Amino acid sequence: MATTMEELLEGLNLDLAAEFQAVITYRVFASLATGPYRSEVRDFFESEIPDELSHAQFLADKIVALGGTPTTEPLPVELTRDNREMFEIALKAETEAIARYEERVAQAEELNLTGLKVRLEDLIVDETGHKEEIERRLHNWKE
Ligand SMILES: [Fe+2]
Ligand SMILES: [Fe+2]
């Protein structure tokens, strides 16, 4: 069945809830990091926040432009005080974000929303960069 505008808006709101979740998660992880690499871990998570916030801004603006209402509820945040687990949680979230945006690209394409499709592809570029950064940190982790 063809994608409807309602389905696209529902999907974009799920994406927005996940971006809000990412902002909260990375802010709290940065503050909770401990151990000899505390400042490295803190700097890493803090450096991701502006990207995720800009994604949230884009999505909220786009949802309104398409006639919808942006969500105010983040997806549930998973907390840990273990540095390695922080990166594992973040890796899972970034991987899921890429999959969601790929689905959203296909929906935008079906609805002939080329501008949205191209911007969503930019988000995939950003999330792929985040994912690869995290993977390189988890590789050879010694602690
Ligand atoms: Fe994001
Ligand atoms: Fe990300």
Side-chain angles (χ1 to χ4, degrees):
M1 221 173 73
T3 300
T4 64
M5 182 60 80
E6 286 67 35
E7 285 166 344
L8 174 67
L9 282 167
E10 208 175 289
L12 290 171
N13 255 324
L14 174 63
D15 301 333
L16 179 57
E19 294 292 351
F20 286 150
Q21 175 202 50
V23 169
I24 296 167
T25 300
Y26 293 170
R27 176 60 263 159
V28 174
F29 282 1
S31 296
L32 280 175
T34 51
Y37 305 112
R38 190 187 87 86
S39 39
E40 158 81 14
V41 174
R42 179 184 178 89
D43 289 353
F44 172 76
F45 283 115
E46 281 184 343
S47 74
E48 301 282 302
I49 295 170
D51 273 1
E52 310 301 11
L53 256 183
S54 76
H55 299 164
Q57 180 191 327
F58 167 72
L59 292 167
D61 284 345
K62 184 56 80 172
I63 289 163
V64 172
L66 293 175
T69 306
T71 186
T72 55
E73 298 288 331
L75 293 185
V77 173
E78 191 181 346
L79 271 191
T80 177
R81 288 175 182 273
D82 180 89
N83 289 359
R84 187 186 170 111
E85 217 171 88
M86 289 178 189
F87 285 97
E88 282 163 354
I89 289 169
L91 178 62
K92 186 167 163 275
E94 298 290 351
T95 304
E96 287 170 0
I98 293 166
R100 267 197 318 274
Y101 287 132
E102 277 167 351
E103 191 186 330
R104 221 63 69 223
V105 163
Q107 289 177 317
E109 208 162 15
E110 253 191 84
L111 290 166
N112 283 319
L113 297 169
T114 308
L116 173 58
K117 183 195 100 130
V118 172
R119 289 297 306 273
L120 288 167
E121 285 172 347
D122 287 341
L123 300 199
I124 293 176
V125 173
D126 286 352
E127 310 297 16
T128 302
H130 297 165
K131 177 172 175 276
E132 288 172 355
E133 272 297 324
I134 294 166
E135 278 169 344
R136 275 181 283 173
R137 278 170 174 74
L138 279 168
H139 184 72
N140 253 323
W141 184 287
K142 291 187 181 74
E143 199 184 294

